[in-house]
Structures are given as structure tokens and as C-alpha cells.
Amino acid sequence: MKIIAANWKMNHSFDECDEWLDGFFEGYAKNINQFQDKNIVVCPPHILLDYIDSELMEDSMKHLDAVMKKQDRKLEDFSEEELNEIILGSRPIKLGGQDCHDKKSGSYTGSVSADMLAKVGCEYVILGHSERREGCFETSEVVSRKIAAALEAKLTPIICVGESKEIREKKEHLAFIEKQIEETLAQNSGFEKLVIAYEPIWAIGTGLVPTDEEIAQVANLVKKLFETKYNDIAKEHYLLYGGSVKESNSKSIMAINNIDGLLVGGASLKAGEFLNICLS
Ligand code: PGA
């Protein structure tokens, strides 16, 4: 299974979102076979989540109806967990939040809890993005607590790590990434899917992309950590690459050994371009 995630960041109105969904599903329907082994995750701004969830619900309910008929069961015969699995499992795209708070509820103005994301159909949440680490002063310790909250709400966190230009120039990136992973995973276990996104800060939104060899070097390190240090804490392990992914480079990045998917920012805003990336 590959994971291709779209991080819309603070972009798209309701109208633009509608246009995106129409465009994406048109292409999806034409290429449905090529999506069988892929989880497509869309992470819009929080205010669009409920809207997209309800747009997806019509087909989800049709699917639930079909399952009920096939199994000759009534709605009340299904547990909440079963219903969630049937409804969310059938969706062509998965929903994800771009962040969540580490607390369940309370006086945290402007924040959204992991439970709240789950209630509007999210299955994923991006955590520890460098734009939050830098812009909102989030430490790895905070990210670690958010991961715990996400796991409790049964969300799959997409955990972002990656070095600055200065750290890469000093050739300290591998040690830096290993430490970031260690700090963010601290005391967290019981992952269905452990998803790490390697996003070098200097590649995000800049058009600069590490060479395939440079990505492979980090991928080898993370895979080694998955196999040694973090084997027991997750059933499945995934490493995504993010940072200036486009139609023109997605295919070669996806072909790098140990890369299991992509986290796409700017190029995910246009349905057609994102679709082509998903098909690469
Ligand atoms: P970008 O962003 O694709 O626009 O570089 C990636 C990200 O920040 O997740």
C-alpha cells in the first residue's frame, strides 16, 4: 500500500474545494484500477472537513446499504466500530487534519482536538509539520503528546521530520532526523500504521528537491530504524517524502527504494496535478 497525502495548508474556499472534488473524482473514475493499492489522504483546512465528509457520505451510505443487504443485517446490528470501518473504508479519499491539540477539550482558543477530527470523518492527522514547529514553536515533546492524542482517537498521525539547510550543510542531517524521530515517538506505541514524512525544510515550497540519492540515504536510515527500534510499536510502517513534489518529479521519487508515498503541498491544490501525482 502507498500513501499519497495532499496538504492544502491554508488554501481553498468552499467553491474551490467543490471544483477540486469534481475534478479529482472525474479523473479517479477513469483510472480507478490504479488507485487500488493507494491510500489518498486529503488534508484541507479544518473548516472544510465536515463539508467534504458530507460530500463523501452519499456514496458511503450506498455502500453501507449494500453491505446490510448482503449480510442480511439491520443498522442496529452493527457496532459503531463496524459502521465506521464500512463507511470510511469504502471511501476513495481519506480525510486528514493538518494539526490537532494534545488535550481532548478545554479552554484552548483556536484549537481542534483529535476526537473532533475523528467525528468529522478524519482518519489521519499531520503532526509536527515544520511550519508548525517553526511558526507555532512546537517542540518534539509537544508533537509527541499530540501523537498520543491522535492514537487515542484512532487517527493515523503523519509525523513530519526534516532538517534545515544549515543542518544539511553541516552534514548533520541523519543524526538530526534520528533524534527528531526518537523524540516524537517517545512513549508512543500501538500504531496501526506508523507514518513518517521526511520533509527537508529547505525543500518545502522552494522548488528545491534533494537528489534521489539524498532521499534514499534518509529512507535507508528510517527503514533501518523501523526494523530495529520501532518494529514492535506498529503493525505497518511507512515513509513518505515531502518537499516540492510535482508531476515532473513524483514518479522518480516514488521509485526510490523504501519510499512508500508522498506528502504534497502546493502541487496538491490543483486536482489535475494531484491526480497525476497519485497516478505516478
Ligand atoms: P510543498 O509542501 O509540496 O509545497 O513543498 C510540502 C509540505 O509542506 O507538506
Side-chain angles (χ1 to χ4, degrees):
M1 180 69 76
K2 302 285 181 195
I3 298 175
I4 319 281
N7 178 8
W8 286 3
K9 307 191 181 182
M10 199 168 70
N11 294 293
H12 278 349
S13 62
F14 281 86
D15 285 349
E16 286 163 337
C17 173
D18 261 339
E19 203 181 306
W20 193 99
L21 292 173
D22 288 347
F24 184 83
F25 288 128
E26 197 187 316
Y28 179 89
K30 285 187 197 145
N31 297 284
I32 199 148
N33 289 338
Q34 290 188 64
F35 283 93
Q36 301 307 322
D37 60 343
K38 288 173 188 146
N39 263 356
I40 309 301
V41 185
V42 178
C43 305
H46 290 156
I47 59 151
L48 291 172
L49 284 167
D50 191 35
Y51 178 69
I52 303 178
D53 182 49
S54 54
E55 290 290 295
L56 297 169
M57 205 47 106
E58 197 182 323
D59 281 343
S60 299
M61 292 324 267
K62 277 190 204 149
H63 178 69
L64 176 61
D65 248 10
V67 173
M68 279 166 35
K69 278 204 186 92
K70 196 166 165 213
Q71 298 185 2
D72 194 19
R73 289 165 79 189
K74 295 198 205 71
L75 194 61
E76 52 272 30
D77 300 337
F78 291 87
S79 68
E80 199 181 325
E81 223 164 63
E82 277 178 303
L83 285 176
N84 254 343
E85 212 173 295
I86 295 165
I87 289 174
L88 299 178
S90 65
R91 291 185 164 181
I93 57 173
K94 313 281 178 196
L95 278 177
Q98 293 178 15
D99 180 52
C100 70
H101 200 277
D102 63 312
K103 300 283 188 306
K104 275 184 186 293
S105 62
S107 305
Y108 303 102
T109 304
S111 298
V112 165
S113 74
D115 279 342
M116 289 171 179
L117 293 179
K119 290 257 154 48
V120 288
C122 283
E123 293 170 78
Y124 288 80
V125 58
I126 298 172
L127 292 176
H129 192 286
S130 61
E131 285 158 14
R132 292 204 61 90
R133 289 183 192 258
E134 288 186 341
C136 306
F137 310 107
E138 277 185 15
T139 59
S140 287
E141 195 199 327
V142 171
V143 178
S144 164
R145 289 204 303 269
K146 291 183 174 197
I147 294 171
L151 292 177
E152 213 184 316
K154 302 214 163 8
L155 297 177
T156 297
I158 298 175
I159 305 161
C160 302
V161 298
E163 80 285 357
S164 64
K165 192 163 168 275
E166 293 71 36
I167 290 174
R168 178 158 282 268
E169 277 169 1
K170 283 196 259 165
K171 300 200 187 337
E172 290 169 358
H173 51 287
L174 293 180
F176 180 85
I177 292 162
E178 183 167 350
K179 186 155 174 273
Q180 245 185 353
I181 294 176
E182 193 178 299
E183 287 171 352
T184 49
L185 290 185
Q187 286 147 33
N188 286 309
S189 61
F191 291 82
E192 281 292 319
K193 296 189 187 84
L194 172 58
V195 185
I196 302 277
Y198 169 52
E199 296 210 305
I201 297 171
W202 51 274
I204 295 176
T206 57
L208 300 171
V209 182
T211 62
D212 287 359
E213 291 70 31
E214 285 169 336
I215 297 176
Q217 188 193 36
V218 175
N220 290 342
L221 165 78
V222 177
K223 272 289 143 113
K224 202 174 87 208
L225 294 172
F226 281 167
E227 281 160 16
T228 53
K229 270 185 162 169
Y230 306 117
N231 188 33
D232 295 344
I233 65 165
K235 289 193 186 147
E236 296 169 20
H237 300 74
Y238 296 84
L239 175 65
L240 316 187
Y241 169 80
S244 294
V245 173
K246 305 189 241 343
E247 281 175 82
S248 55
N249 59 23
S250 56
K251 203 177 167 119
S252 68
I253 298 173
M254 283 296 281
I256 297 170
N257 206 17
N258 294 329
I259 289 292
D260 307 305
L262 303 166
L263 179 53
V264 190
S268 73
L269 292 175
K270 290 212 168 74
E273 186 165 9
F274 183 63
L275 193 90
N276 287 339
I277 291 171
C278 293
L279 294 173
S280 60

